[in-house]
Amino acid sequence: RGIRVGYTPDVLTDATAELSVALLLSACRRLPEAAEQVKSGGWTTWKPLWMCGYGLSDSTVGIIGLGRIGQAVARRLKPFGVKKFLYTGSGPKPESAAEFGAEFVPLMRLAEESDFVVVTCALTPATQGMCNKDFFSRMKKTSVFVNTSRGTVVNQEDLYEALSQGWIAAAGLDVTTPEPLPTDHPLLSLKNCVILPHIGSATYATRSTMAVLAANNLLSGLRGEPMPHELKL
């Protein structure tokens, strides 16, 4: 119908990457569970293995989708002492991967070898439901799964089974299906699943920049001028 579309690219990359790392650390070090123990009186005498989780040092991190956000996540995780980065996607990205020495591998090899899996890919027909029972069953029992892309990339019923049956250690989600997730959803009953309300871009600076870009797109469109960020249809 000749309707022009403006959008706000790039501005949320850093905020979403930071949130991805925060979610990964929260899940692997059991932070919400530990904080709840302080409130509930579960924190008593010191116990050697109480609240133990998994660390990033000397680990293998698999990134599904090495785009802008995937690279920003890897850039932030590298100083934690990650030993190896794997990635998968529609094809190899040697120039992007060189910064991290990341190796392009098939999806199932990434599942089998990664200690941490971070999903930052786009939602396409090829990626919808990609993280399913077959994927989770290939992962290590000590591995942690994080999704900050789109909820439907993950089969949530399969993820629940993987977490409740101990196929994987923990998961962190900033995106779900549907959103908001119903408060009686089975995933919310699990201690080893950290779920956030889609706050990847929720910093004051990022939301302000998004608003300004949207307003400038709108003003340019109303004037009949090229938008600063226009989606070419």
Side-chain angles (χ1 to χ4, degrees):
R1 301 188 181 186
I3 299 171
R4 296 166 63 192
V5 178
Y7 69 123
T8 59
D10 302 338
V11 296
L12 49 72
T13 296
D14 287 339
T16 305
E18 289 172 3
L19 192 278
S20 299
V21 173
L23 194 50
L24 188 155
L25 291 170
S26 294
C28 75
R29 294 300 302 271
R30 303 169 65 181
L31 300 189
E33 188 182 350
E36 184 56 38
Q37 290 294 305
V38 176
K39 294 178 182 178
S40 66
W43 182 16
T44 56
T45 57
W46 183 82
K47 297 178 281 291
L49 298 180
W50 187 64
M51 285 293 117
C52 283
Y54 299 95
L56 280 157
S57 183
D58 290 325
S59 68
T60 296
V61 173
I63 296 177
I64 300 178
L66 197 67
R68 287 191 298 266
I69 295 174
Q71 292 171 49
V73 169
R75 200 167 289 123
R76 285 159 174 76
L77 289 179
K78 191 174 181 180
F80 280 90
V82 173
K83 180 174 66 176
K84 187 176 184 181
F85 285 98
L86 305 176
Y87 75 102
T88 193
S90 55
K93 295 185 172 182
E95 291 183 4
S96 301
E99 180 181 348
F100 320 105
E103 181 183 356
F104 181 75
V105 296
L107 179 66
M108 290 307 170
R109 184 181 158 196
L110 182 143
E112 291 167 355
E113 296 184 14
S114 297
D115 299 299
F116 301 91
V117 173
V118 184
V119 186
T120 56
C121 62
L123 176 61
T124 67
T127 62
Q128 185 160 355
M130 176 174 62
C131 299
N132 54 22
K133 189 171 187 174
D134 188 26
F135 180 87
F136 295 125
S137 66
R138 305 278 191 105
M139 290 176 66
K140 302 175 183 179
K141 291 183 183 296
T142 55
S143 57
V144 176
F145 176 83
V146 171
N147 182 21
T148 54
S149 61
R150 289 291 179 266
T152 48
V153 171
V154 177
N155 182 313
Q156 289 181 170
E157 290 73 23
D158 292 350
L159 176 59
Y160 175 81
E161 185 176 3
L163 289 166
S164 60
Q165 298 299 318
W167 299 353
I168 65 175
L173 310 174
D174 187 42
V175 288
T176 60
T177 306
E179 293 182 358
L181 194 67
T183 55
D184 61 351
H185 194 281
L187 282 173
L188 293 172
S189 68
L190 300 173
K191 290 182 179 179
N192 59 344
C193 188
V194 181
I195 300 179
L196 302 178
H198 204 152
I199 56 170
S201 65
T203 69
Y204 289 111
T206 299
R207 293 286 172 84
S208 176
T209 303
M210 290 169 70
V212 171
L213 283 178
N216 285 332
N217 281 340
L218 180 60
L219 290 171
S220 296
L222 289 171
R223 295 189 194 107
E225 301 169 356
M227 295 181 188
H229 297 283
E230 185 167 356
L231 186 65
K232 302 301 179 183
L233 302 173

